[in-house]
Amino acid sequence: MPTQRFLNLKDSKKNAILEAAAHEFARVPYSAVSINQIIKEAEISRGSFYTYFEDKDDLMRYMLRGFRDTLRKKVFEFLEEEEEDQEHEGAVSVENVTGEVKFSHVNFGYNPNQTIINDFSVDVKPGQKIAIVGPTGAGKTTMVKLLMRFYDVNSGQILLDNHDVRDYNRRDLRKAFGMVLQDTWLYKGTIMENIRYGRLDATDEEVIAAAKAAHAHHFIMSQPGGYQMELNEETSNISQGQKQLLTIARAILADNKIMILDEATSSVDTRTEERIQKAMDNLMKGRTSFVIAHRLSTVRNSNCIVVIEHGEIEEKGSHESLLAKNGFYANLYNSQFEKMETV
């Protein structure tokens, strides 16, 4: 059990200690957990640490109990949630969607008493590439969740081809979107099967064509078995960059009218990022695309860059025009460029 001194700490200090410990437990085997690292990340002294817990076994037991209680609470909260309404009477068809999107005076908050998106408006023409940038917690991914109706706006409208997204069946609406995320969606099976998951009736030739467009064909053919190579349970027998190329190939094969690229290159090195960027450029051709990224080098050629801060549009324009303004975006871009030069 934790000592009374730990229990008397403010919640923020408790969380700092436990988060630092959780990070360390996840990064190295438990037997090799570094108490010194936990102490450093929690910004406490070695002497004071042992007044909070007797040893690392004590800390581990306390953390596991907390995780178990939190998990139990989350499961019951999930079970009590109302199911989404999938069908809508008189729903609009997505069959001939062109990809025109309009956010009109959108307001939203996960908690009704706390609005995080305030009077957000932007018009997107079919085939345009729109970049949404801003600091963590600014509301970037929330916009995507609203667009795909994982949540509905509190007020205002989101229009797809001049129809409110609430006029579409949710399941049909989401079929209009393709996604490439940092966390790749691959499973145990052959490379061919993983790409074909984008469109199950695709021929082998169509799968290979998609892989070529995604700049994945060369690395696939260098693997034992080529397209018939089987990914293991953890998909750890290919690199992170290769996983993203397969995900892009799958999205090209699916041929959705609207693409969402959320942090798609944030976990790879710069050289791999350049190769993935070429694949994404092929993916976005002729498709309306929303790009959410921290690496601003990936969004310079966007038709429009929307800079969000605290749920509001801080700035909006092309890369060149925003740099000329010398405002929030310029500061963010220049700071990243300086870091790259230092490295």
Side-chain angles (χ1 to χ4, degrees):
M1 291 294 293
T3 64
Q4 190 60 44
R5 180 170 181 180
F6 177 83
L7 297 176
N8 290 339
L9 289 174
K10 292 181 179 179
D11 287 344
S12 59
K13 180 64 76 173
K14 288 179 184 176
N15 290 337
I17 294 171
L18 294 177
E19 286 177 11
H23 168 75
E24 188 68 17
F25 282 129
R27 193 164 62 85
V28 298
Y30 170 56
S31 60
V33 168
S34 167
I35 295 297
N36 288 332
Q37 182 67 18
I38 295 173
I39 290 169
K40 179 181 177 182
E41 295 193 21
E43 297 181 346
I44 58 177
S45 69
R46 186 174 184 83
S48 64
F49 177 82
Y50 287 110
T51 66
Y52 299 140
F53 295 90
E54 293 179 5
D55 53 35
K56 66 184 180 185
D57 292 318
D58 191 29
L59 170 61
M60 186 66 170
R61 284 192 294 269
Y62 182 82
M63 288 177 62
L64 288 175
R65 188 181 69 180
F67 294 159
R68 182 188 61 214
D69 293 343
T70 299
L71 179 60
R72 183 187 297 117
K73 180 181 177 182
K74 292 293 184 183
V75 168
F76 281 106
E77 286 178 354
F78 175 76
L79 292 175
E80 290 171 0
E81 286 284 337
E82 292 185 12
E83 290 190 27
E84 291 181 336
D85 293 326
Q86 295 292 334
E87 304 296 324
H88 176 73
E89 188 174 346
V92 179
S93 172
V94 298
E95 186 174 347
N96 297 312
V97 162
T98 65
E100 182 179 3
V101 176
K102 181 176 182 179
F103 290 84
S104 179
H105 302 288
V106 168
N107 291 277
F108 173 75
Y110 294 103
N111 183 336
N113 299 321
Q114 185 177 5
T115 301
I116 61 173
I117 302 295
N118 303 290
D119 196 29
F120 181 89
S121 297
V122 66
D123 292 340
V124 184
K125 301 301 181 186
Q128 284 191 329
K129 175 181 175 181
I130 305 300
I132 304 176
V133 303
T136 302
K140 303 186 298 297
T141 55
T142 298
M143 302 311 304
V144 172
K145 293 175 183 176
L146 294 174
L147 183 59
M148 299 181 71
R149 286 202 69 201
F150 290 108
Y151 297 92
D152 282 328
V153 300
N154 296 140
S155 63
Q157 278 186 306
I158 301 176
L159 304 175
L160 174 60
D161 280 17
N162 294 315
H163 293 284
D164 193 304
V165 292
R166 290 169 289 196
D167 292 336
Y168 297 90
N169 289 332
R170 288 183 198 260
R171 186 175 290 107
D172 292 340
L173 174 68
R174 292 167 188 169
K175 287 179 181 178
F177 295 87
M179 301 184 76
V180 176
L181 307 179
Q182 177 180 348
D183 296 324
T184 51
W185 300 344
L186 299 174
Y187 61 93
K188 188 177 186 297
T190 67
I191 289 177
M192 179 74 75
E193 290 168 341
N194 271 276
I195 297 176
R196 184 177 277 124
Y197 192 69
R199 183 158 56 86
L200 296 177
D201 61 352
T203 65
D204 289 357
E205 290 74 19
E206 288 173 322
V207 170
I208 294 171
K212 288 180 177 179
H215 293 261
H217 180 72
H218 177 74
F219 103 76
I220 293 172
M221 294 306 295
S222 68
Q223 305 297 314
Y227 284 85
Q228 298 308 314
M229 172 188 169
E230 183 158 317
L231 303 182
N232 60 27
E233 195 74 44
E234 297 79 20
T235 64
S236 59
N237 49 342
I238 57 174
S239 71
Q240 180 63 30
Q242 290 168 341
K243 291 177 187 178
Q244 290 194 348
L245 290 175
L246 292 184
T247 305
I248 293 171
R250 178 193 292 168
I252 289 174
L253 184 66
D255 196 23
N256 305 98
K257 289 296 183 182
I258 305 172
M259 287 305 310
I260 294 171
L261 304 159
D262 186 359
E263 301 290 292
T265 60
S266 63
S267 61
V268 298
D269 60 76
T270 303
R271 181 176 295 180
T272 304
E273 177 187 325
E274 291 174 355
R275 204 168 36 182
I276 292 174
Q277 189 61 46
K278 291 178 181 178
M280 289 198 297
D281 288 341
N282 283 341
L283 170 61
M284 291 184 284
K285 284 179 182 176
R287 298 179 176 91
T288 304
S289 302
F290 293 87
V291 182
I292 303 171
H294 286 300
R295 292 191 186 187
L296 300 186
S297 59
T298 65
V299 301
R300 286 179 295 190
N301 64 343
S302 300
N303 296 100
C304 180
I305 298 172
V306 179
V307 184
I308 298 181
E309 172 74 353
H310 303 305
E312 298 182 354
I313 296 179
E314 186 77 19
E315 296 174 318
K316 184 168 62 174
S318 66
H319 172 72
E320 292 77 13
S321 66
L322 292 178
L323 285 183
K325 286 183 179 179
N326 201 30
F328 186 90
Y329 177 83
N331 291 335
L332 194 62
Y333 181 82
N334 290 331
S335 66
Q336 289 194 7
F337 187 74
E338 288 170 1
K339 287 179 182 177
M340 288 175 63
E341 281 191 328
T342 301
V343 173

